[in-house]
Amino acid sequence: MTMLEDQSTAAPWPTAYPKGYAVVDVETTGLARDDRIISAAVYRLDYRGDVEDHWYTLVNPERDPGPVWIHGLTSDVLVDAPLFPDIAAELSERLDGRVLVAHNAMFDWSMIAREYARAERTAPVQQRLCTIALSKELRLPLPNHKLESLAAHFGVVQQRAHHALDDARVLAEAFRPSLHAAAQGGVRLPLLECLPLTEWSDSPPAPRIGHQASYRGAGGGSWRPSRKRPACPYPNPGRYEPGKLLKQGMRVAFSGDTSVDRELLEDRAIEAGLHIATSVSRLTSLLVTNDPDSTTSKTVKAKSFGTPVVDEAAFTQLLRDVSPAER
């Protein structure tokens, strides 16, 4: 690899590496296509990962804020915040010409790209870098791929988890030594292309996750035509253990109504490397249901087999950090 001499430290630096980075974190109303950004933070870094400046804003999502117990942003806090089109130019200035860096970058990029699409604009981002993927390339000895674990590995103190500005700060501080380790080891950065998104959902805002009325449905319209899914490439690692991470290959079944469209939840699960089970058996790793006391065949079987059960809100949070399959 061709190297560039860094005059400030007299250390060689890969010329193939990007010239600047934008470390991003967004908090959102949920994980579906019609969910919205409610806060965003950007730390701009130079080519060596040193901080140039940072920026933070609240965003009025024009809908229910979603899991307030996670991000702490209520409707009262967000009512006077700017709309996304009002902050799009400022965000563009901070992203322009830089690689977007995020922890689970596909999620942050998808949410940002859809907001730009709604505003009839295009995000000025050509590439993204996921710090989860980078930690795997570096073979860091992490117990899992949570941001807090990456931060602890590099001695970064996390002050306000799920606050966009602090999460972005923590990630920026953890990214810099990761970047240096990659440069010293001649590791090729796991850069991916960012393509503008032109599809999104402007369906009516989904009720709050956890609001019981959203689980019942008005007319029993929970029937869905069958949809052929690709086979899961990972072996089943067994049952989910409460308090731990989901693992790629786990068999997940759903029962009853969900506030986020079921197919979107299933798509997210498949993207994370999980297997969607159409029924519950002794091999099922987890059942997701908002009504664990119902008498559907899946919930009855789950109880008889001792299959772990979580609700939709807990499952969507678990999807943010799925442990990779064992090699």
Side-chain angles (χ1 to χ4, degrees):
M1 179 181 292
T2 306
M3 306 296 253
L4 174 69
E5 192 75 10
D6 177 18
Q7 298 301 321
S8 64
T9 62
W13 196 259
T15 56
Y17 276 22
K19 304 306 180 185
Y21 305 87
V23 177
V24 173
D25 186 78
V26 298
E27 294 300 318
T28 66
T29 61
L31 305 176
R33 287 183 175 90
D34 62 341
D35 277 303
R36 307 296 299 273
I37 290 175
I38 56 175
S39 66
V42 180
Y43 268 73
R44 289 195 289 191
L45 312 181
D46 66 13
Y47 76 103
R48 288 182 61 89
D50 293 322
V51 175
E52 297 177 338
D53 58 28
H54 65 268
W55 171 81
Y56 171 75
T57 184
L58 296 175
V59 182
N60 186 336
E62 301 181 280
R63 55 156 290 173
D64 185 278
V68 173
W69 60 92
I70 295 173
H71 52 63
L73 298 176
T74 64
S75 295
D76 290 342
V77 171
L78 297 170
V79 65
D80 294 323
L83 302 178
F84 187 85
D86 298 329
I87 61 98
E90 178 82 9
L91 180 57
S92 293
E93 180 182 340
R94 295 179 178 278
L95 298 176
D96 192 22
R98 297 171 185 266
V99 170
L100 184 150
V101 178
H103 204 65
N104 189 9
M106 180 59 192
F107 173 76
D108 292 82
W109 164 245
S110 296
M111 297 303 297
I112 290 170
R114 289 193 178 101
E115 290 287 9
Y116 271 94
R118 292 186 186 95
E120 298 183 345
R121 302 181 64 155
T122 300
V125 179
Q126 281 72 51
Q127 291 181 308
R128 66 180 185 270
L129 188 156
C130 180
T131 48
I132 295 176
L134 180 56
S135 67
K136 293 178 181 178
E137 290 289 335
L138 295 173
R139 300 186 182 277
L140 299 181
L142 305 178
N144 54 55
H145 293 289
K146 291 183 178 180
L147 176 58
E148 62 190 56
S149 297
L150 181 64
H153 178 76
F154 290 112
V156 180
V157 178
Q158 194 170 23
Q159 298 172 345
R160 297 182 63 185
H162 300 298
H163 185 282
L165 183 59
D166 195 58
D167 281 353
R169 174 192 63 81
V170 168
L171 189 58
E173 292 184 21
F175 174 64
R176 185 177 186 275
S178 297
L179 179 63
H180 281 247
Q184 292 168 8
V187 175
R188 183 176 181 179
L189 298 180
L191 301 174
L192 294 176
E193 184 180 9
C194 287
L195 298 175
L197 298 182
T198 57
E199 58 80 25
W200 70 91
S201 172
D202 271 337
S203 60
R208 290 188 298 276
I209 293 177
H211 189 268
Q212 190 66 19
S214 69
Y215 300 145
R216 299 296 184 181
S222 60
W223 177 87
R224 298 177 301 120
S226 60
R227 180 179 177 187
K228 186 175 179 58
R229 300 281 188 179
C232 181
Y234 309 112
N236 184 0
R239 288 184 174 178
Y240 166 70
E241 296 181 41
K244 295 187 178 182
L245 297 178
L246 291 172
K247 294 182 180 180
Q248 289 181 328
M250 281 187 170
R251 298 174 65 91
V252 178
F254 293 83
S255 178
D257 293 331
T258 53
S259 57
V260 174
D261 184 84
R262 173 78 68 80
E263 289 193 352
L264 292 177
L265 280 178
E266 292 180 353
D267 285 346
R268 293 285 187 186
I270 289 173
E271 289 171 3
L274 303 176
H275 173 93
I276 300 302
T278 57
S279 61
V280 172
S281 71
R282 296 184 186 278
L283 298 177
T284 304
S285 306
L286 180 70
L287 175 67
V288 179
T289 178
N290 290 312
D291 191 2
D293 296 324
S294 70
T295 56
T296 65
S297 61
K298 290 180 181 178
T299 55
V300 170
K301 287 182 179 179
K303 289 179 181 178
S304 67
F305 296 144
T307 304
V309 177
V310 300
D311 65 13
E312 177 186 357
F315 181 68
T316 54
Q317 293 310 306
L318 287 170
L319 278 180
R320 290 190 171 191
D321 191 11
V322 177
S323 178
E326 295 182 1
R327 296 183 178 180

